[in-house]
Amino acid sequence: MTDEEMAEEYAHNHLYYEVAKREDGTEYAKEVSNVTIKHAFLAGLEAGRPKWHKVDDGDLPGEDTEVLAALADKEIYMSHFYRRNVWDKIGPVVAWCEIPQYTEE
């Protein structure tokens, strides 16, 4: 299922209201549109995903950094990036991402 399909399904199955004000200042519950719900769902997906960087694009981590490295054979390892394109001896790195940090929340 694509991100768009998941967002569409979520918006279809959930109903949300926001507080709105009338011209006289009284408040009422106004239904949030499906489009707004879909945008919020997609923004949450994007924020929660690790961002992968392509090495071929020259998008390299900072020097002397521990990262997750995706290799050409589709395996992922924790790797140390030293400088320029010098990695631990694990194989050809095609992409990398920052290591997600565990939190209690």
Side-chain angles (χ1 to χ4, degrees):
M1 184 178 282
T2 67
D3 291 354
E4 285 287 333
E5 291 169 336
M6 286 190 296
E8 183 73 37
E9 181 179 311
Y10 184 85
H12 178 74
N13 292 323
H14 293 82
L15 185 60
Y16 291 95
Y17 293 91
E18 63 185 348
V19 175
K21 287 190 177 185
R22 293 186 177 93
E23 287 184 19
D24 65 3
T26 59
E27 295 179 341
Y28 68 100
K30 177 182 173 187
E31 187 175 332
V32 176
S33 76
N34 278 1
V35 172
T36 301
I37 294 170
K38 285 178 7 184
H39 285 290
F41 184 92
L42 291 170
L45 278 180
E46 185 65 30
R49 286 192 177 134
K51 176 158 175 30
W52 285 90
H53 306 267
K54 288 177 130 182
V55 172
D56 283 347
D57 292 344
D59 191 359
L60 299 172
E63 290 186 7
D64 201 26
T65 306
E66 296 286 327
V67 297
L68 293 180
L71 307 184
D73 64 4
K74 306 220 188 283
E75 295 208 24
I76 297 175
Y77 293 95
M78 191 163 97
S79 178
H80 191 91
F81 178 78
Y82 294 97
R83 65 192 178 291
R84 295 179 158 249
N85 202 12
V86 179
W87 301 81
D88 284 338
K89 303 290 183 212
I90 57 173
V93 176
V94 295
W96 66 275
C97 79
E98 294 179 4
I99 299 172
Q101 299 299 312
Y102 171 76
T103 62
E104 289 287 331
E105 299 170 356

